[in-house]
Amino acid sequence: MKVILVLPITFALVLTAPQKDATIIKSNLENIGIDGYNFQYETSNGIAADEQGQLKNAGSENEVMAVRGQFKYLGPDGVTYTITYTADENGFQPQGAHLPVAP
């Protein structure tokens, strides 16, 4: 009887254990050039990201790469965390439901 209870519990623990070796299940690089880029990827352990960048004010003193994107990952608590962001002349600006908001 004890063996019957231990096997399902052991099997459940193995299934819920964090994966240590992740594989890339999706990857896409597009439009890599001087004026911008675009990429996406996803891994077998739930990590995913996509980002787009575009050169603004090309050739001027105010030339800057404007970036926007998002990424997500599975936290140790089992919750999927998602962060969206922009990065430009105003700096890196992340947003996420779990991030504190400045007063």
Side-chain angles (χ1 to χ4, degrees), residues 8-47:
I9 292 171
T10 303
F11 187 67
L13 289 174
V14 168
L15 288 178
T16 59
Q19 293 180 336
K20 294 183 181 183
D21 297 324
T23 58
I24 297 172
I25 57 176
K26 177 181 165 187
S27 176
N28 190 17
L29 292 155
E30 298 177 355
N31 304 326
I32 306 298
I34 294 172
D35 60 342
Y37 65 91
N38 184 6
F39 73 82
Q40 303 89 32
Y41 67 84
E42 185 175 347
T43 63
S44 61
N45 63 355
I47 297 171

Side-chain angles (χ1 to χ4, degrees), residues 2 7 9 20 23 27 34 40-41 47-48 50 61 63-65 67-68 73-74 76 88 91 94 96:
K2 290 180 184 177
L7 287 177
I9 292 171
K20 294 183 181 183
T23 58
S27 176
I34 294 172
Q40 303 89 32
Y41 67 84
I47 297 171
D50 64 82
E61 280 187 25
E63 186 175 274
V64 65
M65 183 64 73
V67 176
R68 63 184 167 84
Y73 63 93
L74 183 63
D88 54 20

Side-chain angles (χ1 to χ4, degrees), residues 4 18 22 44 91 101:
I4 294 173
S44 61
V101 178

Side-chain angles (χ1 to χ4, degrees), residues 78-96:
V79 174
T80 298
Y81 294 95
T82 301
I83 301 199
T84 58
Y85 59 89
T86 59
D88 54 20
E89 65 273 12
N90 299 313
F92 180 70
Q93 302 164 35
Q95 296 180 335

